Amino acid sequence: ITVSENQRGITFDQLFSNYLNGAKKITLTDPYIRVFHQMRNLMEFVETLVKIKEQEDDIDLHLVTQPDDMRGDQQENYLMQVQQSADAHGINFTWQFDNEGTTHARHVLTDTGWKISLDRGLDIFQRYEMNDAFNLNNRLQETRACKAFELTYLKV
């Protein structure tokens, strides 16, 4: 899939649901899950998982990312908040830091044999005002303008 700069109508549900459906173990590798908007993208990825899973099922979601040398405590705090929220809905969220800084390629791997190569990781949306409770961009991904990116789906 190729998405153009400023294209609208794109959602995580559209991009991921068909390939994550039925997976019990998912690994997300994205070295840039550090600051608030990146954590929010991660949380929206978790929301997609909650929507597609059976209520009685659990999914193990493991994140491999790099530590934020400047705001490490804040990064850990955000990850713990995601973990608590996800756990309440059957998503067992764990993470590990690549302290050597060798992680670059962004992708999702599932136990159902899918690998989704993420050109930009989860950071696909242009900046928008996140503090405006009345802005639809806060609630509906499809209203947001995208950055240009590509996704490749591989059956491995």
Side-chain angles (χ1 to χ4, degrees):
I1 293 180
T2 301
V3 173
S4 303
E5 190 76 11
N6 296 316
Q7 182 175 334
R8 295 180 190 271
I10 303 298
T11 68
F12 283 180
D13 292 351
Q14 293 169 330
L15 296 174
F16 299 116
S17 291
N18 290 339
Y19 303 93
L20 301 178
N21 198 17
K24 301 292 184 221
K25 293 183 186 295
I26 299 169
T27 301
L28 167 64
T29 302
D30 187 335
Y32 300 104
I33 304 291
R34 300 178 182 178
V35 295
F36 181 81
H37 79 278
Q38 295 162 337
M39 292 292 172
R40 181 172 167 147
N41 291 335
L42 173 62
M43 194 64 218
E44 290 179 347
F45 184 79
V46 169
E47 289 172 13
T48 294
L49 296 178
V50 170
K51 290 176 194 173
I52 65 170
K53 76 177 204 59
E54 297 296 326
Q55 188 172 0
E56 64 275 5
D57 291 342
D58 287 345
I59 295 175
D60 294 331
L61 172 61
H62 184 68
L63 170 67
V64 178
T65 192
Q66 291 180 4
D68 186 332
D69 295 333
M70 304 293 283
R71 297 171 296 264
D73 290 342
Q74 182 182 57
Q75 181 185 27
E76 288 261 2
N77 184 39
Y78 286 153
L79 290 168
M80 286 188 287
Q81 289 180 58
V82 171
Q83 184 179 50
Q84 288 174 336
S85 182
D87 189 56
H89 297 280
I91 308 297
N92 305 312
F93 175 67
T94 57
W95 69 90
Q96 75 183 67
F97 292 120
D98 168 18
N99 291 310
E100 296 181 22
T102 57
T103 303
H104 177 72
R106 298 155 183 93
H107 57 269
V108 175
L109 291 173
T110 72
D111 63 346
T112 56
W114 285 104
K115 178 178 183 177
I116 306 168
S117 180
L118 308 170
D119 178 39
R120 299 190 72 94
L122 297 179
D123 194 11
I124 64 170
F125 299 110
Q126 297 282 2
R127 278 194 174 274
Y128 59 94
E129 183 51 57
M130 288 189 216
N131 294 324
D132 182 354
F134 303 105
N135 186 333
L136 283 177
N137 290 339
N138 275 317
R139 307 301 314 145
L140 300 171
Q141 288 182 333
E142 59 267 21
T143 65
R144 300 175 192 165
C146 288
K147 300 173 184 176
F149 71 93
E150 292 183 5
L151 259 69
T152 304
Y153 303 95
L154 304 164
K155 188 70 170 174
V156 293

